[in-house]
Amino acid sequence: MTERYALIGHPVAHSKSPLIHTRFAEATRQDIEYSLIDAQPDGFEQAVHAFRAAGGRGLNVTVPFKEDAFRYCEEVSERARAAQAVNTLVFRERVFGDNTDGVGLTRDLEANLGLRLAGMRALLMGAGGAGQGVVGALLEAKVARLVIANRTLGRAQALAARFTGASASAYETLAGPFDLVINATSAGLSDDEIALPAGVLGNDTLAYDMTYGRDTAFLRQARSSGARPCDGLGMLVEQAAESFFVWRGVRPGTAPVLASLRGG
Ligand code: NAP
């Protein structure tokens, strides 16, 4: 019997998740259907209840509901507890929540882009839902230094305080060099440039923007500083694969899906 999954968020219309999960299901011969739920900002619980009542088995959760999803759960994984945000819900006897963003990012960096994170000096820009989801995984991958910078400094400080090995900074006072700079802000969506001090982005920096599908101000900044630019499409596919594994117990291959999304 076909089992139902969906992505809930607002907005979700342009999401690539249905395409990605449909490809995974075809490749692994899983009988699933994956749809989109565009919920009103105050309508998360109601929409989830309706989906469960109709037999839904699991959800991916995106902006702005990852923290609502964390509160909705009866049980969460360690990585979701560390993030205090959930992007994967599983409806078993109890509601289980997980967060696959962190492992999605580190798999893209290490398996797809060939980085060795251990020992790297890393800067994370942004302390919203996406930033919260990846700090634990970066530290677990043993980066040597992890600085979190955010427009609202207090949020970066609060996030860094939850993890041993992370520190917080304002953008203006950042002191490089960094081997890896990750843009986990939504500034790219409005094409705002975040001014970074000289030396933060250099010839040996991988500049990773979690935003995908557009040439952001951050990617342009990276190119003009001689850094290696990279978008977040690989993270999107990798976090989806991990969610698929959490739901179905089967790990789909990611390379063919990523290649086809890149038009290869
Ligand atoms: P969010 O919870 O709304 O947080 C937004 C973050 O961006 C905050 O840190 C905010 O700073 C910062 N910000 C927004 N506009 C800014 C500006 N003009 N200048 C400086 N900082 C600014 O959003 P999110 O869930 O973290 O998502 C962030 C981005 O990551 C989105 O583009 C999303 O699509 C992307 N993402 C990608 C993947 C993937 O798989 N590739 C996964 C998750 C998220 P303040 O705290 O000061 O407001």
Side-chain angles (χ1 to χ4, degrees):
M1 204 177 82
T2 306
E3 297 196 328
R4 294 181 53 209
Y5 298 85
L7 170 71
I8 184 166
H10 181 75
V12 289
H14 296 100
S15 169
K16 294 186 190 302
S17 292
L19 175 66
I20 294 171
H21 282 283
T22 302
R23 293 273 172 81
F24 287 165
E26 284 163 5
T28 58
R29 305 208 176 143
Q30 297 286 303
D31 188 6
I32 73 158
E33 176 194 293
Y34 190 103
S35 57
L36 294 173
I37 302 173
D38 194 338
Q40 287 310 303
D42 60 354
F44 175 77
E45 282 210 10
Q46 201 186 354
V48 176
H49 287 322
F51 182 73
R52 288 175 68 191
R57 299 302 299 267
L59 287 168
N60 277 140
V61 183
T62 188
V63 182
F65 298 127
K66 288 183 187 179
E67 288 167 29
D68 298 87
F70 179 70
R71 286 189 291 272
Y72 187 84
C73 292
E74 293 163 295
E75 259 181 278
V76 292
S77 65
E78 268 312 303
R79 54 195 183 186
R81 187 176 306 287
Q84 294 179 22
V86 155
N87 78 336
T88 306
L89 286 168
V90 190
F91 305 125
R92 303 174 177 154
E93 302 84 67
R94 289 156 68 80
V95 178
F96 174 76
D98 203 347
N99 192 314
T100 66
D101 280 339
V103 75
L105 172 68
T106 55
R107 280 208 189 118
D108 191 35
L109 290 170
E110 297 202 308
N112 299 334
L113 298 167
L115 254 62
R116 191 174 136 70
L117 288 169
M120 280 196 151
R121 296 159 298 185
L123 166 63
L124 176 66
M125 299 165 56
Q132 285 176 53
V134 302
V135 174
L138 289 167
L139 291 170
E140 229 167 76
K142 302 214 173 337
V143 293
R145 180 177 180 222
L146 180 60
V147 181
I148 305 168
N150 196 48
R151 179 176 60 183
T152 310
L153 178 58
R155 279 184 98 185
Q157 288 168 329
L159 180 56
R162 297 200 332 240
F163 294 88
T164 307
S167 62
S169 170
Y171 288 116
E172 312 80 75
T173 52
L174 281 169
F178 292 99
D179 307 301
L180 172 66
V181 176
I182 300 160
N183 181 19
T185 76
S186 49
L189 302 177
S190 48
D191 216 30
D192 288 343
E193 180 168 322
I194 299 174
L196 294 171
V200 168
L201 291 168
N203 287 331
D204 298 321
T205 313
L206 181 92
Y208 190 97
D209 200 330
M210 283 193 195
T211 305
Y212 49 84
R214 56 165 70 206
D215 190 35
T216 62
F218 176 73
L219 292 176
R220 293 195 296 275
Q221 241 171 316
R223 277 194 291 272
S224 67
S225 313
R228 175 184 170 196
C230 188
D231 74 4
L233 195 60
M235 174 178 170
L236 179 76
V237 174
E238 295 297 340
Q239 62 76 32
E242 185 71 10
S243 293
F244 192 92
F245 177 70
V246 170
W247 289 326
R248 309 297 300 177
V250 181
R251 193 174 290 287
T254 51
V257 178
L258 185 52
S260 82
L261 287 174
R262 291 214 186 275

